[in-house]
Amino acid sequence: MLRGCSRRCPAFLAVTVVIILLSLREVIGWRPWPHNNRTNAAHDLEFGGSKKYEGSSEFVHLKYHMGPVLTTDITVHTIWYGVWERSQKKIIRGFISSISAVNSKHPSVSGWWKTVQLYTDQTGANISRTVRLGAEKNDRFYSHGKSLTRLSIQSVIKSAVTAKTKPLPLNPQGGLYLLLTSSDVRVQDFCGQVCGFHYFTFPSIVGYTLPYAWVGNSAKMCPGVCAYPFAVPDYIPGLKPLKSPNGDIGVDGMVSVIAHEIAELATNPLVNAWYAGQDPSFPVEIADLCEGIYGTGGGGSYTGQLFNGADGATFNMNGIRRRFLVQWVWNHVVNYCTGPNALDQ
């Protein structure tokens, strides 16, 4: 069991699994661009850094529901599904390694993670500051095809942890399982509703309860949806995309989605910890509250104030020898969205 989990957790999980089996939907689907405001999107872009949006404390009621959070060292086990270039893997590995890096230039990815660390379990223990890369599994031959459903994603994870050669280690206490699909793989609701989601595996499918996330590479299918602002939606004519910091639009777009999901897995791994709303099967979590906000003044369809490098690339955080654009997360202490590049810090 996860640290901080009482003897009641198995009963809770049983109830939660029943709820999800009925709904057959993961609790989180994330898009970096707020599609529910298409008609006002161009108007939103007129607002500059003088307006401080960054979420609203007046309407947010984020609560702790007494479930476990990841207070032990976190290990990210990655499944590379489909064909991936070595350079693409380096970008994503570089981001995950940067979460715990102590010497990155300010504003840093590790500074972003400090907001996540503010969250605690029922004993008062904070989320771990340590996030490390774990084992990896390559599934370059598309073992479950090039079209995945939400449930077949769990089957891919099962294949990875039960493989005859070099299976991923089973680590339900501090392990996160990150399934990344290449740009030629279609996933249920991808592009239309989600760019990534997280949940935990069903013992009936995988044999274990493991927190996991899926994130897809949108470069070929919907970069304007999932790789914004490095690609622009068709419904905003005349808006120019920004230059990505690592030279790969799809993967640079994935980084922020991966950050979003890891932050929420750490604070709500079993869907009974930190979230807003009354329905645990459809919670609003710490990254959902800051969707599309990357800098001071962010809100609506405006990303907020960002940095421009000498090479013309746009970013808001520094990692280990790389730069990234990462969405902010909700800070429950000050009750609004924060990031290490905030102008008021």
Side-chain angles (χ1 to χ4, degrees), residues 293-322:
I293 297 175
Y294 300 83
T296 298
S301 297
Y302 177 62
T303 58
Q305 294 192 356
L306 309 177
F307 296 107
N308 292 317
D311 58 354
T314 300
F315 64 100
N316 67 345
M317 298 178 199
N318 295 290
I320 302 173
R321 296 182 298 278
R322 291 184 182 273

Side-chain angles (χ1 to χ4, degrees), residues 171-186:
N171 184 7
Q173 188 170 22
L176 300 183
Y177 295 80
L178 182 62
L179 174 60
L180 305 176
T181 51
S182 56
S183 59
D184 57 345
V185 177
R186 297 185 178 276

Side-chain angles (χ1 to χ4, degrees), residues 23-265:
S23 62
L24 294 180
R25 295 185 63 85
E26 281 70 15
V27 296
I28 285 300
W30 181 75
R31 297 175 304 193
W33 184 266
H35 283 224
N36 61 346
N37 194 26
R38 293 188 177 187
T39 57
N40 294 326
H43 176 68
D44 290 340
L45 293 170
E46 297 173 5
F47 294 116
S50 61
K51 284 186 175 290
K52 184 178 177 65
Y53 293 115
E54 290 118 55
S56 171
S57 61
E58 184 177 352
F59 301 106
V60 173
H61 301 286
L62 186 75
K63 296 181 180 179
Y64 177 54
H65 295 80
M66 303 306 288
V69 301
L70 298 187
T71 57
T72 59
D73 290 354
I74 299 168
T75 304
V76 181
H77 301 295
T78 307
I79 303 170
W80 302 97
Y81 192 86
V83 178
W84 291 87
E85 298 177 8
R86 183 176 300 179
S87 60
Q88 294 177 317
K89 291 182 178 181
K90 285 184 176 180
I91 295 170
I92 292 174
R93 288 178 187 137
F95 170 72
I96 296 172
S97 297
S98 296
I99 294 175
S100 296
V102 294
N103 296 320
S104 297
K105 180 182 177 182
H106 176 79
S108 66
V109 175
S110 58
W112 166 83
W113 186 254
K114 287 181 180 179
T115 299
V116 182
Q117 287 180 253
L118 293 173
Y119 290 85
T120 63
D121 65 10
Q122 57 186 309
T123 71
N126 292 84
I127 287 174
S128 174
R129 70 168 300 275
T130 301
V131 180
R132 62 170 66 97
L133 285 169
E136 297 183 358
K137 193 70 177 175
N138 292 302
D139 197 334
R140 63 177 62 89
F141 297 112
Y142 309 89
S143 64
H144 291 71
K146 290 188 175 182
S147 182
L148 302 176
T149 65
R150 291 174 179 264
L151 287 181
S152 66
I153 281 175
Q154 296 205 18
S155 297
V156 174
I157 297 173
K158 178 183 179 181
S159 296
V161 300
T162 60
K164 293 182 179 179
T165 58
K166 297 182 178 180
L168 289 184
L170 291 168
N171 184 7
Q173 188 170 22
L176 300 183
Y177 295 80
L178 182 62
L179 174 60
L180 305 176
T181 51
S182 56
S183 59
D184 57 345
V185 177
R186 297 185 178 276
V187 176
Q188 181 182 354
D189 296 327
F190 186 29
C191 295
Q193 297 182 26
V194 299
C195 300
F197 56 70
H198 77 85
Y199 206 55
F200 56 80
T201 59
F202 301 154
S204 60
I205 297 177
V206 180
Y208 307 90
T209 300
L210 305 172
Y212 76 93
W214 157 77
V215 179
N217 186 337
S218 66
K220 293 181 179 178
M221 298 183 188
C222 58
V225 175
C226 294
Y228 177 85
F230 307 128
V232 176
D234 294 334
Y235 57 84
I236 305 184
L239 182 63
K240 295 182 178 180
L242 303 179
K243 183 178 179 180
S244 67
N246 296 287
D248 190 307
I249 291 174
V251 175
D252 275 316
M254 290 180 72
V255 165
S256 190
V257 188
I258 291 169
H260 179 116
E261 302 304 338
I262 290 178
E264 293 184 343
L265 276 168

